[in-house]
């Protein structure tokens, strides 16, 4: 393995790289879905009541645009900052364990390899992690702490606005999940539970938490949207683990991909993508059949729903092809777009009902 030169500071470029900006669609999409579901609940509540009654926890039966916008933006910041903090924690923990050493060597080799002369070739080079690339672990851990603290600040603001003090417990669970994924003495990510945690926190918690913070209630649409985006998040992690299957196996990291093997891991991941993509198509067909009987049908919601469904089908198809061809980095980019397409589909079709 190539020697990695240690450094005393972290540069802006390295900090941005450690944030893994291209994966942040997994934070944006669930909050987007949760916001749309919350707005739908509040709208129905307003339509069913002739008077505004303040509900326990501060949710109002009459739409309050300023309040909804404030809570939605704060929830988005919480989700993004927690994901960034988790990314830095993963970098720190895997780096000090040596799990990511291959990425540093691969990045150095790629820079020296004249055969990787096309963007497509270089796209498939695994990104080097900070600690494995020579950044002092304490700097990476400090970046994680700062982002986690900012997330907590935004989360407390949501608590103050809504009055739902139990959200503090949810936030604490999110912090613990982010740390113990690959941190601590017995990280659950090394035991094959990472995919379950991703579904729970990037799907159910992020989506339903946003919905409840806005509307003070949940409905079936919110649960469906949360499950759908949770499946996308699991697919992203599965692709990441398929890419790293050999080094994870050597490091004792028992992900689903390691447990199932590359072939069945690939089949399982493509099946997850198919579920989401075909689900968007089913939503399109179902709303088309209902037609004018839908309570809130409009040109805008129909356009958004159809556009989202088409994008979900296309991005899902391209992601599946890339996974089959082992173009994992390109597949993860397509899955980021699939997450946003799923949110767009939900925003269109769910608001028609």
């Amino acid at each position: 393995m190539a020697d990695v030169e240690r450094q005393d500071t972290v540069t802006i470029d390295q900090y941005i790289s450690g944030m893994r900006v291209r994966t942040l669609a997994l934070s944006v999409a669930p909050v987007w879905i949760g916001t749309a579901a919350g707005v739908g609940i509040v709208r129905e509540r307003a339509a069913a009541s002739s008077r505004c009654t303040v509900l326990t926890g501060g949710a109002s039966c009459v739409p309050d645009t300023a309040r909804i916008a404030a809570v939605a933006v704060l929830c988005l910041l919480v989700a993004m900052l927690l994901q960034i903090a988790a990314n830095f924690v993963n970098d720190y923990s895997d780096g000090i364990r040596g799990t990511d050493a291959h990425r540093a060597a691969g990045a150095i080799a790629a820079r020296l390899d004249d055969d990787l002369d096309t963007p497509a070739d270089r796209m498939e080079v695994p990104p080097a992690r900070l600690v494995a690339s020579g950044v002092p672990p304490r700097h990476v851990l400090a970046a994680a702490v700062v982002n986690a603290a900012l997330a907590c600040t935004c989360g407390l603001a949501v608590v103050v606005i809504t009055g739902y003090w139990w959200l503090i417990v949810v936030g604490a669970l999110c912090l613990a999940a982010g740390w113990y994924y690959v941190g601590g003495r017995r990280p659950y990510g090394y035991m094959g539970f990472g995919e379950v945690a991703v579904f729970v926190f990037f799907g159910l918690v992020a989506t339903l938490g946003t919905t409840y913070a806005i509307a003070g209630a949940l409905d079936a649409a919110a649960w469906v949207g949360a499950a759908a985006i949770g499946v996308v998040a699991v697919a992203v992690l599965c692709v990441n683990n398929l890419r790293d299957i050999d080094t994870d196996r050597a490091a004792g990291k028992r992900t689903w991909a390691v447990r199932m093997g590359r072939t069945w891991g690939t089949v399982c991941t493509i099946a997850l993508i198919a579920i989401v993509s075909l689900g968007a198509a089913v939503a399109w067909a179902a709303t088309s059949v209902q037609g004018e009987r839908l309570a809130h049908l409009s040109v805008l919601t129909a356009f958004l729903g159809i556009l989202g469904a088409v994008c979900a089908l296309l991005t899902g198809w391209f992601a599946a092809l890339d996974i089959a061809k082992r173009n994992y980095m390109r597949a993860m980019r397509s899955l980021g777009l699939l997450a946003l397409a799923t949110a767009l589909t939900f925003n269109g079709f769910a608001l028609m009902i």
Side-chain angles (χ1 to χ4, degrees):
M1 184 183 72
D3 292 331
V4 176
E5 181 181 354
R6 309 307 295 181
Q7 58 188 74
D8 296 327
T9 60
V10 55
T11 66
I12 295 298
D13 288 343
Q14 287 174 323
Y15 181 84
I16 294 174
S17 175
M19 291 171 60
R20 304 183 210 174
V21 176
R22 291 174 179 172
T23 68
L24 293 182
L26 296 178
S27 296
V28 175
V31 176
W32 185 356
I33 292 173
T35 300
V39 169
I41 294 172
V42 172
R43 181 185 59 189
E44 290 301 315
R45 184 183 297 149
S49 176
S50 59
R51 298 174 58 188
C52 177
T53 56
V54 179
L55 304 181
T56 301
S60 174
C61 65
V62 174
D64 184 339
T65 303
R67 177 187 178 280
I68 290 174
V71 172
V73 170
L74 288 169
C75 287
L76 177 61
L77 290 173
V78 169
M80 293 179 68
L81 289 167
L82 281 178
Q83 184 182 351
I84 292 170
N87 288 341
F88 281 120
V89 166
N90 294 349
D91 195 307
Y92 167 80
S93 298
D94 279 343
I96 62 177
R97 280 189 170 89
T99 307
D100 285 337
H102 69 285
R103 289 196 177 99
I108 293 172
R111 288 196 295 267
L112 300 176
D113 192 347
D114 293 333
D115 293 334
L116 297 177
D117 55 359
T118 67
D121 290 333
R122 295 190 179 276
M123 183 182 294
E124 291 306 313
V125 176
R129 299 295 172 83
L130 300 184
V131 174
S133 300
V135 176
R138 67 180 183 277
H139 292 333
V140 179
L141 182 59
V145 171
V146 168
N147 281 279
L150 291 173
C152 290
T153 302
C154 295
L156 287 175
V158 173
V159 169
V160 171
I161 292 173
T162 63
Y164 300 134
W165 299 101
W166 52 266
L167 287 175
I168 295 176
V169 177
V170 176
L173 290 174
C174 291
L175 291 173
W179 173 256
Y180 288 107
Y181 172 56
V182 292
R185 293 186 177 182
R186 299 188 65 184
Y188 63 85
Y190 279 69
M191 297 184 288
F193 296 109
E195 291 81 358
V196 177
V198 162
F199 177 81
V200 171
F201 288 97
F202 281 87
L204 303 184
V205 173
T207 305
L208 301 179
T210 301
T211 300
Y212 203 93
I214 288 174
L218 300 174
D219 63 0
W223 283 96
V224 171
I229 200 62
V231 170
V232 176
V234 173
V236 172
L237 183 58
C238 286
V239 172
N240 181 82
N241 292 339
L242 283 170
R243 182 196 66 194
D244 297 336
I245 187 171
D246 295 327
T247 52
D248 283 347
R249 182 182 291 113
K253 194 173 183 179
R254 304 289 293 173
T255 62
W256 283 8
V258 170
R259 291 176 181 273
M260 290 188 288
R262 190 180 298 276
T263 299
W264 283 107
T266 298
V267 171
C268 177
T269 305
I270 292 176
L272 292 174
I273 296 170
I275 290 171
V276 176
S277 297
L278 294 177
V282 169
W284 183 0
T287 51
S288 297
V289 170
Q290 293 295 319
E292 295 181 355
R293 287 175 289 179
L294 296 171
H296 303 284
L297 177 65
S298 69
V299 173
L300 178 60
T301 55
F303 173 76
L304 293 177
I306 293 172
L307 177 63
V310 171
C311 290
L313 289 168
L314 289 176
T315 53
W317 172 257
F318 288 125
L321 287 179
D322 284 328
I323 293 168
K325 296 177 182 178
R326 300 190 183 183
N327 296 327
Y328 298 125
M329 295 300 295
R330 190 182 305 171
M332 282 193 280
R333 289 171 172 81
S334 295
L335 288 176
L337 295 176
L338 176 60
L340 297 177
T342 301
L344 182 61
T345 304
F346 183 89
N347 191 77
F349 292 141
L351 291 181
M352 292 183 193
I353 302 173

